[in-house]
Amino acid sequence: MHVTETCRVVAPVLARIGDKWSILIVRLLGEGPRRFNEIKRQVDGISQRMLTLSLRGLERDGLVSRTVYPTVPPRVEYELTDLGRSLWEPVAALGEWAASHAEEIGRAQKAFDKRLAAEVAARNRIPAIGMG
């Protein structure tokens, strides 16, 4: 398979599973089935609309199943499918990597920002030639 063709095939999949909310939802559902409001409470910062869209996308891609129980009011649970569970392990590993390297990344970001600020300040101090 040619690189361009591979990119075309893989890009939509990575767009779904690389999305911030999908990663958090998959990680949470790896612990077991959850109801919508339970997911919303545990995924900090997600809006109801974004959670709905993310769950629909994950369900469409075969990663999450939605089960409606015939109760009043209806009870709906979401859980990982076999395909979703196969994704859970690398997602969990990615989460562990991010947590264990957060401080190092923070230090790198601060060093970069300091370097960038110094470069901008240096450029602003250099008088423009021929502008007068």
Side-chain angles (χ1 to χ4, degrees):
M1 191 178 288
H2 191 267
V3 173
T4 306
E5 186 179 339
T6 301
C7 290
R8 191 174 49 253
V9 170
V10 171
V13 175
L14 292 179
R16 162 70 51 219
I17 63 173
D19 152 31
K20 157 180 150 176
W21 299 120
S22 294
I23 292 270
L24 295 172
I25 293 166
V26 167
R27 191 145 189 232
L28 177 64
L29 292 178
E31 299 169 4
R34 297 281 193 280
R35 294 176 72 172
F36 184 91
N37 283 328
E38 198 178 350
I39 298 169
K40 189 170 180 317
R41 276 193 305 274
Q42 294 181 342
V43 177
D44 189 38
I46 194 167
S47 68
Q48 183 164 332
R49 175 171 160 46
M50 198 70 230
L51 179 55
T52 299
L53 292 173
S54 297
L55 285 168
R56 280 187 190 155
L58 290 165
E59 185 179 7
R60 180 175 183 260
D61 291 345
L63 301 170
V64 168
S65 67
R66 178 180 183 267
T67 305
V68 180
Y69 294 94
T71 60
V72 178
R75 185 175 62 124
V76 179
E77 281 188 349
Y78 297 89
E79 67 181 313
L80 294 179
T81 61
D82 289 342
L83 183 60
R85 278 189 288 281
S86 74
L87 175 62
W88 184 80
E89 190 173 316
V91 164
L94 180 60
E96 290 170 18
W97 180 90
S100 67
H101 291 86
E103 287 182 24
E104 186 178 350
I105 291 168
R107 286 192 301 273
Q109 290 170 339
K110 284 180 184 177
F112 176 88
D113 293 346
K114 185 176 179 180
R115 219 172 35 252
L116 183 62
E119 289 172 12
V120 169
R123 272 193 303 244
N124 289 338
R125 285 194 296 268
I126 299 173
I129 299 174
M131 298 291 293

